[in-house]
Amino acid sequence: MANPETGSPAAADVGLPLLRIRGLGARFGTVEAIKPLDLDVNDGEFLTILGPSGSGKTTLLRTIAGFQPPSAGRIEFDGKDIADLPINRRPFNTVFQDYALFPHMTVRENVGFGLRVRGTAKAQLNDRVDAALGIVGLEEFDARYPSQLSGGQQQRTALARAMICEPRLILLDEPLAALDAALRRQMQNFLKTLQRQSGITFLFVTHDQSEAITMSDRICVMRSGSIEQIGTPRELYYRPKSRFVAAFFGASNIVEPCRIHETRDDATIVETPVGQFRISGPPPDSSSGLALAIRPEALGPEDETRVNTLELEVVAVSFVGSETITELRHRRTSQVFTMKTRSDPAARPPDIGSILNIGFDPAECALVTEAAN
Amino acid sequence: MTAYARMVRPGLADCLLWGAAALFILIPLASFLIFGFFSVVSNSIDYRPTLANFDELLSNSSYRTTFFRTMRMAFLVSATNLVLGYATAYFIWQRPPAWRNLMVIALAIPLLMSYIIKIYAMRGVLGTNGLLNSATMALGIIDEPVSALLFNLTAVRITLSVVLLPFMVLPIYVALERIPASVLHAASDLGASEIQIFARVVLPLSLPGGIVGAMFTFVLASGDFLAPELVGGIEGFTYGRLIFSQFGLAFNWPLGAALSIVLMIVALGVIYAARRFGNPRWQR
Ligand SMILES: Nc1ncnc2c1ncn2[C@@H]1O[C@H](COP(=O)(O)OP(=O)(O)OP(=O)(O)O)[C@@H](O)[C@H]1O
Ligand SMILES: [Mg+2]
């Protein structure tokens, strides 16, 4: 199948990424919105760019789409440099955050736009628009104008419009941000299914970590214009490399300073102000500002898997439905911990001020550094 | 503010606004237009209602000729300015933001100047010793000054085109400004070329502005009497001058009012049409 000698353009076969970004930077005057970064997007994957507001997600997407000239670096699509390609010749399409539908065109005209400007014959155009409308479930709305659609319907129109030319890559900038929670979850499932069935590569931007986790094959976390960490949702969730990523994915208990006491084959022993703990896996390469990040749901009563133990005083208990959140305090250092456990209807909540033996699993915590790079 | 006050205030404000409109606009207008239904008998006005003026307007072909010549002239001015206005507004819109504001202000300044001064300025440009003749002669395009540029209907058209251009450019520019950048990006992203973006997105989205501009231009051009009076000569006799003369030399206010009623009906018709077509279905 793969034939590297002939330089086959079938990128997937030879393991080349569909989109290859090298040293790409973008600036607004003196503001460096994106610091030179590398990113590979594989053919057929759902890659999410995740980061807080102002971290440069939109700028990165706009630079790839061609709306924003890069200040440095290269963008290759399918092995070819596309830096000099004008926007309208780039072989992929965008779904905009505000949908950017053409207000003077019906749903049908909006969806068919990409084919119409390419001079596609009328009959074929109609067939393909019908097919696209069918996929997004808008057959009955084809004669409406965007102003007559709900947010979710506008969103699906924008999606159908971007898909009509059958691009291999679609860029999506926070496409679900304007939708309410229920519709948002529904659209998340829809988008994910659509992506898997169509095989189109999605480069998706969001600032919602749970959305990123449920939808993505891989997540690229951005922070002030740089990539902080790239990995699968599981990797980022269980093995964050920096405090920033740990905090972003909810590992809010940070113990510091941390000193590496011993490195074994499968584990690292660290020394902290609240005790000595065993952590699965090797220590990070850098040790600047080393800290231990523990997820609130990793804490629980000491048992045979939760072998790292602590004596903690109960400060507050709050029942939030399926979960109970307990605020705990380490007496000597006053370090505060948050514990999240499944609510147990039979159990009596612990008394405020009582001392509990709390433990956590070496596999459910991570050693993190100040910054990932 | 209490809920009661909130409920009452808008009602009161509405009454005041409508009252003021009636007092300062509708009543004076009506008290003038009503003259159209009176007549002149031996140099004084006969207040018995009659349709004689309208009878005269319909039967006398010289009124009709002047009317249609003027409408044709106003239409040509609108059409010319629609093209010129689009070109100007589009050009301004394509500049960097800092330039754009300056250019719009520069365009609006003439609106604050006296109308008569602007027309005299145009006379200076179009005359035998005027700027246009001097320039074209200096460039060797013509050998002798052309006198055909002044005191005819063409001179009226050129003058009105120039002085009314801001009324076309501004609404078109405002409409262009309101097109979101992302919509243009989307068109480009979907493969449209510059020309396709203009034809399929920019033009239809800004056309309501063009229609409003054309309406302004047509209404102002069809009723104008100063420009035809000053640059039109005998050939450039227009409907506006016809009305004007009824209040001067002819001293026939009832006929002048009747002529005005006809012009007002035309203007209202144009405004109605502009509202209808300048407010397309997708906007409502
Ligand atoms: N047109 C612009 N001019 C100047 N600075 C800009 C411009 N657009 C963005 N920036 C700056 O670039 C940085 C990155 O912005 P960007 O819009 O890419 O962030 P983002 O991650 O998409 O944020 P959000 O989640 O709020 O959409 C920010 O500091 C922002 O202030
Ligand atoms: Mg953004």
Side-chain angles (χ1 to χ4, degrees):
Chain A
M1 258 203 334
N3 190 352
E5 266 95 6
T6 56
S8 158
D13 284 0
V14 296
L16 263 177
L18 181 63
L19 190 70
R20 212 171 109 102
I21 292 169
R22 288 293 174 271
L24 189 72
R27 47 169 65 246
F28 298 103
T30 55
V31 180
E32 210 171 14
I34 302 182
K35 293 163 193 143
L37 55 80
D38 299 346
L39 177 66
D40 286 344
V41 183
N42 298 320
D43 203 358
E45 83 171 325
F46 194 123
L47 179 68
T48 296
I49 299 175
L50 174 69
S53 188
S55 55
K57 309 180 295 291
T58 296
T59 309
L60 177 58
L61 218 60
R62 286 170 51 87
T63 313
I64 296 170
F67 305 136
Q68 168 75 34
S71 58
R74 259 192 356 264
I75 307 173
E76 283 170 23
F77 184 84
D78 208 7
K80 287 182 285 288
D81 193 332
I82 58 165
D84 295 328
L85 271 192
I87 302 168
N88 60 344
R89 305 267 301 281
R90 298 202 174 195
F92 37 79
N93 294 113
T94 306
V95 176
F96 294 81
Q97 177 163 358
D98 63 351
Y99 314 138
L101 296 175
F102 304 121
H104 60 300
M105 295 184 198
T106 60
V107 168
R108 169 169 291 277
E109 289 164 340
N110 262 285
V111 173
F113 187 85
L115 294 177
R116 217 156 354 111
V117 296
R118 279 173 182 73
T120 309
K122 192 114 191 160
Q124 199 201 343
L125 186 144
N126 277 330
D127 288 349
R128 281 173 70 178
V129 171
D130 284 335
L133 289 175
I135 289 173
V136 297
L138 284 176
E139 300 99 323
E140 287 158 37
F141 298 91
D142 71 330
R144 294 226 193 153
Y145 287 97
S147 60
Q148 302 166 329
L149 297 176
S150 73
Q153 291 162 347
Q154 292 183 27
Q155 151 79 103
R156 281 180 282 161
T157 307
L159 199 61
R161 185 178 70 172
M163 285 177 49
I164 196 83
C165 294
E166 297 172 354
R168 288 172 66 191
L169 171 67
I170 294 186
L171 312 174
L172 305 99
D173 188 1
E174 307 215 28
L176 309 179
L179 306 180
D180 67 49
L183 189 55
R184 204 176 160 131
R185 257 191 306 282
Q186 191 190 325
M187 279 306 292
Q188 284 172 3
N189 290 333
F190 176 73
L191 267 183
K192 183 65 202 159
T193 313
L194 182 67
Q195 189 269 334
R196 211 176 294 133
Q197 285 173 353
S198 64
I200 301 175
T201 308
F202 273 32
L203 186 56
F204 181 91
V205 165
T206 183
H207 61 251
D208 179 340
Q209 55 93 12
S210 71
E211 185 166 290
I213 288 177
T214 53
M215 300 180 76
S216 322
D217 295 320
R218 285 197 304 153
I219 300 173
C220 163
V221 179
M222 285 194 72
R223 176 194 191 184
S224 10
S226 305
I227 293 177
E228 187 85 354
Q229 189 175 351
I230 303 181
T232 63
R234 293 185 72 85
E235 278 167 1
L236 291 168
Y237 192 81
Y238 289 116
R239 290 273 160 269
K241 284 188 180 152
S242 69
R243 290 176 196 217
F244 178 80
V245 176
F248 215 91
F249 284 86
S252 52
N253 297 311
I254 301 283
V255 180
E256 61 182 339
C258 245
R259 199 171 55 75
I260 294 171
H261 180 71
E262 197 186 329
T263 309
R264 299 190 192 151
D265 289 348
D266 59 343
T268 308
I269 311 292
V270 292
E271 191 75 54
T272 76
V274 295
Q276 205 180 61
F277 302 117
R278 180 191 161 92
I279 321 281
S280 303
D285 304 331
S286 140
S287 63
S288 78
L290 198 65
L292 176 62
I294 313 164
R295 318 190 58 77
E297 54 273 31
L299 292 175
E302 180 185 348
D303 61 19
E304 60 275 13
T305 55
R306 301 200 182 103
V307 296
N308 291 317
T309 60
L310 290 147
E311 276 191 353
L312 299 173
E313 178 189 349
V314 177
V315 178
V317 182
S318 47
F319 171 68
V320 290
S322 64
E323 285 166 338
T324 299
I325 293 171
T326 314
E327 292 291 329
L328 302 157
R329 193 170 68 98
H330 185 257
R331 275 240 167 111
R332 185 164 45 78
T333 59
S334 294
Q335 160 111 35
V336 173
F337 290 85
T338 306
M339 174 170 78
K340 208 188 264 180
T341 47
R342 267 187 64 89
S343 298
D344 179 355
R348 204 173 60 83
D351 294 325
I352 307 294
S354 61
I355 304 285
L356 300 179
N357 283 324
I358 299 294
F360 60 95
D361 187 336
E364 284 202 65
C365 58
L367 279 175
V368 295
T369 54
E370 197 60 61
N373 314 304
Chain B
M1 210 199 300
T2 64
Y4 177 68
R6 261 202 302 279
M7 271 163 58
V8 166
R9 286 262 174 90
L12 197 65
D14 278 1
C15 285
L16 284 174
L17 273 173
W18 283 107
L23 197 63
F24 294 113
I25 302 172
L26 294 180
I27 292 175
L29 193 64
S31 66
F32 162 68
L33 292 179
I34 200 148
F35 275 84
F37 300 93
F38 303 147
S39 57
V40 175
V41 179
S42 57
N43 272 338
S44 68
I45 293 170
D46 179 350
Y47 290 97
R48 274 172 306 175
T50 168
L51 288 175
N53 294 316
F54 298 96
D55 225 26
E56 164 83 2
L57 290 187
L58 288 177
S59 55
N60 190 332
S61 72
S62 75
Y63 294 132
R64 244 181 299 146
T65 315
T66 309
F67 176 79
F68 285 115
R69 188 201 300 129
T70 307
M71 293 304 130
R72 185 170 165 276
M73 184 273 297
F75 176 81
L76 288 174
V77 170
S78 295
T80 313
N81 279 16
L82 194 58
V83 176
L84 289 178
Y86 247 107
T88 315
Y90 190 82
F91 177 79
I92 297 175
W93 184 52
Q94 295 284 300
R95 297 310 103 200
W99 280 95
R100 263 185 262 167
N101 293 337
L102 271 179
M103 294 171 90
V104 170
I105 292 168
L107 199 79
I109 284 174
L111 293 180
L112 305 174
M113 288 172 18
S114 156
Y115 190 54
I116 294 194
I117 291 179
K118 282 185 279 187
I119 296 168
Y120 271 110
M122 280 310 291
R123 226 165 120 152
V125 172
L126 297 173
T128 24
N129 298 320
L131 188 67
L132 211 55
N133 271 316
S134 319
T136 39
M137 263 163 60
L139 289 171
I141 299 170
I142 53 172
D143 299 326
E144 300 222 316
V146 179
S147 60
L149 287 173
L150 207 50
F151 304 123
N152 54 31
L153 207 53
T154 310
V156 178
R157 269 178 52 197
I158 295 174
T159 305
L160 285 176
S161 263
V162 171
V163 297
L164 297 179
L165 192 59
F167 292 100
M168 184 66 87
V169 179
L170 291 174
I172 296 177
Y173 177 74
V174 168
L176 289 172
E177 276 282 80
R178 275 174 42 187
I179 302 176
S182 64
V183 165
L184 302 173
H185 278 159
S188 186
D189 186 77
L190 290 162
S193 66
E194 289 290 319
I195 294 169
Q196 284 172 322
I197 294 174
F198 182 78
R200 292 179 184 275
V201 181
V202 174
L203 190 61
L205 284 179
S206 57
L207 206 55
I211 289 172
V212 168
M215 171 200 83
F216 275 143
T217 311
F218 185 87
V219 169
L220 291 171
S222 61
D224 194 67
F225 72 94
L226 262 179
E229 192 79 29
L230 294 176
V231 303
I234 297 165
E235 199 196 302
F237 192 74
T238 62
Y239 199 76
R241 284 170 79 179
L242 182 60
I243 295 176
F244 182 60
S245 66
Q246 302 311 314
F247 297 94
L249 280 182
F251 198 69
N252 192 342
W253 282 38
L255 186 60
L259 288 163
S260 303
I261 288 173
V262 172
L263 189 62
M264 209 173 94
I265 290 170
V266 171
L268 288 175
V270 169
I271 292 169
Y272 174 77
R275 276 188 64 93
R276 221 181 122 67
F277 299 110
N279 188 11
R281 199 149 73 90
W282 50 268
Q283 251 183 0
R284 276 176 251 158

